[in-house]
Amino acid sequence: MSGLKKRSVSLAGHATSVALEPEFWAVLDRIAAERGLSQAGLMVQIDKERGRRPLASACRLLALDWVARPRPGAD
């Protein structure tokens, strides 16, 4: 995998950044598009649902879950 890429985001009024591999960002961008969200909107959603898990870990797990999910028409 390539090196980490950082993206800045505002969560609950606080600026933070998340560093992930470009491959994970590509999947997260597809998830955001599928859900009709901006990149920032998806990050807010992940933040609300992650519990005590680190944000970067929650992002990676969401991406892995999404790519493993069966797609209609895919055999």
Side-chain angles (χ1 to χ4, degrees):
M1 283 194 184
S2 305
L4 299 176
K5 301 285 183 173
K6 281 189 177 183
R7 289 191 185 175
S8 297
V9 64
S10 178
L11 301 172
H14 295 27
T16 189
S17 63
V18 181
L20 298 172
E21 294 77 6
E23 295 84 354
F24 282 105
W25 285 123
V27 173
L28 292 172
D29 290 343
R30 290 174 63 192
I31 294 169
E34 181 182 90
R35 294 183 180 182
L37 297 170
S38 65
Q39 295 172 351
L42 179 63
M43 296 303 291
V44 168
Q45 191 175 68
I46 293 168
D47 184 51
K48 287 180 181 176
E49 297 172 0
R50 69 186 171 109
R52 297 180 61 108
R53 186 181 311 275
L55 183 58
S57 295
C59 290
R60 287 185 179 97
L61 290 173
L62 175 65
L64 288 172
D65 182 62
W66 190 84
V67 297
R69 187 179 71 198
R71 299 280 188 282
D75 294 0

